[in-house]
PDB file of all heavy atoms in Angstrom:
ATOM      1  N   TRP A  94       0.996   2.610 -25.729  1.00  0.00           N
ATOM      2  CA  TRP A  94       2.401   2.710 -25.298  1.00  0.00           C
ATOM      3  C   TRP A  94       2.462   3.056 -23.815  1.00  0.00           C
ATOM      4  O   TRP A  94       3.219   2.451 -23.052  1.00  0.00           O
ATOM      5  CB  TRP A  94       3.127   3.764 -26.145  1.00  0.00           C
ATOM      6  CG  TRP A  94       4.551   4.030 -25.719  1.00  0.00           C
ATOM      7  CD1 TRP A  94       5.378   3.185 -25.018  1.00  0.00           C
ATOM      8  CD2 TRP A  94       5.315   5.220 -25.955  1.00  0.00           C
ATOM      9  NE1 TRP A  94       6.613   3.780 -24.810  1.00  0.00           N
ATOM     10  CE2 TRP A  94       6.599   5.031 -25.380  1.00  0.00           C
ATOM     11  CE3 TRP A  94       5.043   6.418 -26.612  1.00  0.00           C
ATOM     12  CZ2 TRP A  94       7.595   5.999 -25.433  1.00  0.00           C
ATOM     13  CZ3 TRP A  94       6.052   7.374 -26.666  1.00  0.00           C
ATOM     14  CH2 TRP A  94       7.314   7.172 -26.086  1.00  0.00           C
ATOM     15  N   PHE A  95       1.659   4.019 -23.416  1.00  0.00           N
ATOM     16  CA  PHE A  95       1.599   4.433 -22.012  1.00  0.00           C
ATOM     17  C   PHE A  95       1.237   3.246 -21.118  1.00  0.00           C
ATOM     18  O   PHE A  95       1.867   3.006 -20.082  1.00  0.00           O
ATOM     19  CB  PHE A  95       0.556   5.550 -21.865  1.00  0.00           C
ATOM     20  CG  PHE A  95       0.315   6.006 -20.461  1.00  0.00           C
ATOM     21  CD1 PHE A  95       1.114   6.973 -19.881  1.00  0.00           C
ATOM     22  CD2 PHE A  95      -0.738   5.481 -19.714  1.00  0.00           C
ATOM     23  CE1 PHE A  95       0.887   7.406 -18.575  1.00  0.00           C
ATOM     24  CE2 PHE A  95      -0.968   5.909 -18.415  1.00  0.00           C
ATOM     25  CZ  PHE A  95      -0.160   6.870 -17.855  1.00  0.00           C
ATOM     26  N   TYR A  96       0.219   2.476 -21.530  1.00  0.00           N
ATOM     27  CA  TYR A  96      -0.246   1.357 -20.704  1.00  0.00           C
ATOM     28  C   TYR A  96       0.752   0.201 -20.699  1.00  0.00           C
ATOM     29  O   TYR A  96       0.971  -0.436 -19.667  1.00  0.00           O
ATOM     30  CB  TYR A  96      -1.596   0.856 -21.210  1.00  0.00           C
ATOM     31  CG  TYR A  96      -2.230  -0.165 -20.290  1.00  0.00           C
ATOM     32  CD1 TYR A  96      -2.818   0.227 -19.092  1.00  0.00           C
ATOM     33  CD2 TYR A  96      -2.221  -1.523 -20.612  1.00  0.00           C
ATOM     34  CE1 TYR A  96      -3.388  -0.707 -18.244  1.00  0.00           C
ATOM     35  CE2 TYR A  96      -2.793  -2.458 -19.772  1.00  0.00           C
ATOM     36  CZ  TYR A  96      -3.368  -2.040 -18.584  1.00  0.00           C
ATOM     37  OH  TYR A  96      -3.924  -2.970 -17.736  1.00  0.00           O
ATOM     38  N   GLY A  97       1.369  -0.062 -21.837  1.00  0.00           N
ATOM     39  CA  GLY A  97       2.282  -1.192 -21.935  1.00  0.00           C
ATOM     40  C   GLY A  97       3.705  -0.885 -21.527  1.00  0.00           C
ATOM     41  O   GLY A  97       4.569  -1.767 -21.572  1.00  0.00           O
ATOM     42  N   TYR A  98       3.976   0.326 -21.095  1.00  0.00           N
ATOM     43  CA  TYR A  98       5.338   0.738 -20.736  1.00  0.00           C
ATOM     44  C   TYR A  98       5.899  -0.117 -19.605  1.00  0.00           C
ATOM     45  O   TYR A  98       7.073  -0.487 -19.615  1.00  0.00           O
ATOM     46  CB  TYR A  98       5.318   2.214 -20.333  1.00  0.00           C
ATOM     47  CG  TYR A  98       6.674   2.809 -20.031  1.00  0.00           C
ATOM     48  CD1 TYR A  98       7.491   3.263 -21.066  1.00  0.00           C
ATOM     49  CD2 TYR A  98       7.133   2.931 -18.730  1.00  0.00           C
ATOM     50  CE1 TYR A  98       8.733   3.824 -20.799  1.00  0.00           C
ATOM     51  CE2 TYR A  98       8.370   3.489 -18.452  1.00  0.00           C
ATOM     52  CZ  TYR A  98       9.164   3.927 -19.486  1.00  0.00           C
ATOM     53  OH  TYR A  98      10.393   4.485 -19.221  1.00  0.00           O
ATOM     54  N   TYR A  99       5.073  -0.446 -18.643  1.00  0.00           N
ATOM     55  CA  TYR A  99       5.519  -1.250 -17.498  1.00  0.00           C
ATOM     56  C   TYR A  99       5.575  -2.725 -17.845  1.00  0.00           C
ATOM     57  O   TYR A  99       6.540  -3.413 -17.541  1.00  0.00           O
ATOM     58  CB  TYR A  99       4.588  -1.019 -16.305  1.00  0.00           C
ATOM     59  CG  TYR A  99       4.846  -1.955 -15.136  1.00  0.00           C
ATOM     60  CD1 TYR A  99       6.013  -1.843 -14.391  1.00  0.00           C
ATOM     61  CD2 TYR A  99       3.932  -2.946 -14.802  1.00  0.00           C
ATOM     62  CE1 TYR A  99       6.260  -2.695 -13.330  1.00  0.00           C
ATOM     63  CE2 TYR A  99       4.173  -3.798 -13.739  1.00  0.00           C
ATOM     64  CZ  TYR A  99       5.338  -3.671 -13.007  1.00  0.00           C
ATOM     65  OH  TYR A  99       5.570  -4.515 -11.958  1.00  0.00           O
ATOM     66  N   ASN A 100       4.528  -3.237 -18.493  1.00  0.00           N
ATOM     67  CA  ASN A 100       4.465  -4.652 -18.846  1.00  0.00           C
ATOM     68  C   ASN A 100       3.675  -4.798 -20.145  1.00  0.00           C
ATOM     69  O   ASN A 100       2.442  -4.740 -20.132  1.00  0.00           O
ATOM     70  CB  ASN A 100       3.799  -5.450 -17.725  1.00  0.00           C
ATOM     71  CG  ASN A 100       3.875  -6.945 -17.943  1.00  0.00           C
ATOM     72  OD1 ASN A 100       4.062  -7.415 -19.065  1.00  0.00           O
ATOM     73  ND2 ASN A 100       3.749  -7.714 -16.874  1.00  0.00           N
ATOM     74  N   PRO A 101       4.362  -5.015 -21.281  1.00  0.00           N
ATOM     75  CA  PRO A 101       3.669  -5.116 -22.577  1.00  0.00           C
ATOM     76  C   PRO A 101       2.617  -6.221 -22.625  1.00  0.00           C
ATOM     77  O   PRO A 101       1.663  -6.128 -23.411  1.00  0.00           O
ATOM     78  CB  PRO A 101       4.813  -5.398 -23.565  1.00  0.00           C
ATOM     79  CG  PRO A 101       6.049  -4.860 -22.898  1.00  0.00           C
ATOM     80  CD  PRO A 101       5.829  -5.081 -21.433  1.00  0.00           C
ATOM     81  N   TRP A 102       2.765  -7.255 -21.803  1.00  0.00           N
ATOM     82  CA  TRP A 102       1.792  -8.346 -21.818  1.00  0.00           C
ATOM     83  C   TRP A 102       0.410  -7.879 -21.371  1.00  0.00           C
ATOM     84  O   TRP A 102      -0.602  -8.476 -21.745  1.00  0.00           O
ATOM     85  CB  TRP A 102       2.272  -9.495 -20.931  1.00  0.00           C
ATOM     86  CG  TRP A 102       3.417 -10.251 -21.519  1.00  0.00           C
ATOM     87  CD1 TRP A 102       4.736 -10.198 -21.135  1.00  0.00           C
ATOM     88  CD2 TRP A 102       3.376 -11.156 -22.633  1.00  0.00           C
ATOM     89  NE1 TRP A 102       5.513 -10.999 -21.915  1.00  0.00           N
ATOM     90  CE2 TRP A 102       4.706 -11.618 -22.854  1.00  0.00           C
ATOM     91  CE3 TRP A 102       2.357 -11.623 -23.465  1.00  0.00           C
ATOM     92  CZ2 TRP A 102       5.018 -12.520 -23.860  1.00  0.00           C
ATOM     93  CZ3 TRP A 102       2.675 -12.527 -24.464  1.00  0.00           C
ATOM     94  CH2 TRP A 102       3.989 -12.963 -24.647  1.00  0.00           C
ATOM     95  N   TYR A 103       0.356  -6.821 -20.575  1.00  0.00           N
ATOM     96  CA  TYR A 103      -0.931  -6.309 -20.123  1.00  0.00           C
ATOM     97  C   TYR A 103      -1.764  -5.771 -21.282  1.00  0.00           C
ATOM     98  O   TYR A 103      -2.994  -5.640 -21.176  1.00  0.00           O
ATOM     99  CB  TYR A 103      -0.747  -5.207 -19.082  1.00  0.00           C
ATOM    100  CG  TYR A 103      -0.260  -5.694 -17.732  1.00  0.00           C
ATOM    101  CD1 TYR A 103       0.218  -4.801 -16.784  1.00  0.00           C
ATOM    102  CD2 TYR A 103      -0.285  -7.046 -17.404  1.00  0.00           C
ATOM    103  CE1 TYR A 103       0.669  -5.235 -15.545  1.00  0.00           C
ATOM    104  CE2 TYR A 103       0.162  -7.483 -16.169  1.00  0.00           C
ATOM    105  CZ  TYR A 103       0.632  -6.577 -15.245  1.00  0.00           C
ATOM    106  OH  TYR A 103       1.075  -7.014 -14.025  1.00  0.00           O
ATOM    107  N   LEU A 104      -1.091  -5.434 -22.383  1.00  0.00           N
ATOM    108  CA  LEU A 104      -1.816  -4.937 -23.552  1.00  0.00           C
ATOM    109  C   LEU A 104      -2.785  -5.979 -24.093  1.00  0.00           C
ATOM    110  O   LEU A 104      -3.845  -5.631 -24.619  1.00  0.00           O
ATOM    111  CB  LEU A 104      -0.826  -4.520 -24.644  1.00  0.00           C
ATOM    112  CG  LEU A 104      -0.012  -3.251 -24.376  1.00  0.00           C
ATOM    113  CD1 LEU A 104       1.048  -3.068 -25.454  1.00  0.00           C
ATOM    114  CD2 LEU A 104      -0.921  -2.034 -24.308  1.00  0.00           C
ATOM    115  N   LEU A 105      -2.429  -7.247 -23.968  1.00  0.00           N
ATOM    116  CA  LEU A 105      -3.320  -8.306 -24.441  1.00  0.00           C
ATOM    117  C   LEU A 105      -4.639  -8.283 -23.682  1.00  0.00           C
ATOM    118  O   LEU A 105      -5.712  -8.502 -24.250  1.00  0.00           O
ATOM    119  CB  LEU A 105      -2.641  -9.670 -24.290  1.00  0.00           C
ATOM    120  CG  LEU A 105      -1.382  -9.902 -25.138  1.00  0.00           C
ATOM    121  CD1 LEU A 105      -0.776 -11.269 -24.803  1.00  0.00           C
ATOM    122  CD2 LEU A 105      -1.707  -9.807 -26.617  1.00  0.00           C
ATOM    123  N   ILE A 106      -4.554  -8.025 -22.370  1.00  0.00           N
ATOM    124  CA  ILE A 106      -5.758  -7.980 -21.539  1.00  0.00           C
ATOM    125  C   ILE A 106      -6.616  -6.777 -21.927  1.00  0.00           C
ATOM    126  O   ILE A 106      -7.831  -6.899 -22.115  1.00  0.00           O
ATOM    127  CB  ILE A 106      -5.372  -7.907 -20.049  1.00  0.00           C
ATOM    128  CG1 ILE A 106      -4.558  -9.148 -19.661  1.00  0.00           C
ATOM    129  CG2 ILE A 106      -6.611  -7.763 -19.170  1.00  0.00           C
ATOM    130  CD1 ILE A 106      -3.877  -9.035 -18.319  1.00  0.00           C
ATOM    131  N   LEU A 107      -5.975  -5.623 -22.065  1.00  0.00           N
ATOM    132  CA  LEU A 107      -6.714  -4.401 -22.403  1.00  0.00           C
ATOM    133  C   LEU A 107      -7.354  -4.510 -23.787  1.00  0.00           C
ATOM    134  O   LEU A 107      -8.548  -4.223 -23.946  1.00  0.00           O
ATOM    135  CB  LEU A 107      -5.774  -3.196 -22.345  1.00  0.00           C
ATOM    136  CG  LEU A 107      -6.359  -1.850 -22.768  1.00  0.00           C
ATOM    137  CD1 LEU A 107      -7.552  -1.475 -21.890  1.00  0.00           C
ATOM    138  CD2 LEU A 107      -5.294  -0.762 -22.712  1.00  0.00           C
ATOM    139  N   VAL A 108      -6.587  -4.927 -24.780  1.00  0.00           N
ATOM    140  CA  VAL A 108      -7.113  -5.033 -26.146  1.00  0.00           C
ATOM    141  C   VAL A 108      -8.189  -6.114 -26.225  1.00  0.00           C
ATOM    142  O   VAL A 108      -9.219  -5.936 -26.897  1.00  0.00           O
ATOM    143  CB  VAL A 108      -5.971  -5.317 -27.141  1.00  0.00           C
ATOM    144  CG1 VAL A 108      -6.523  -5.593 -28.528  1.00  0.00           C
ATOM    145  CG2 VAL A 108      -5.004  -4.131 -27.192  1.00  0.00           C
ATOM    146  N   GLY A 109      -7.983  -7.232 -25.524  1.00  0.00           N
ATOM    147  CA  GLY A 109      -9.003  -8.277 -25.499  1.00  0.00           C
ATOM    148  C   GLY A 109     -10.298  -7.803 -24.878  1.00  0.00           C
ATOM    149  O   GLY A 109     -11.396  -8.087 -25.384  1.00  0.00           O
TER     150      GLY A 109
END
Side-chain angles (χ1 to χ4, degrees):
W94 175 23
F95 176 86
Y96 188 75
Y98 184 83
Y99 172 69
N100 188 339
W102 288 106
Y103 288 166
L104 289 173
L105 296 176
I106 299 167
L107 176 59
V108 173

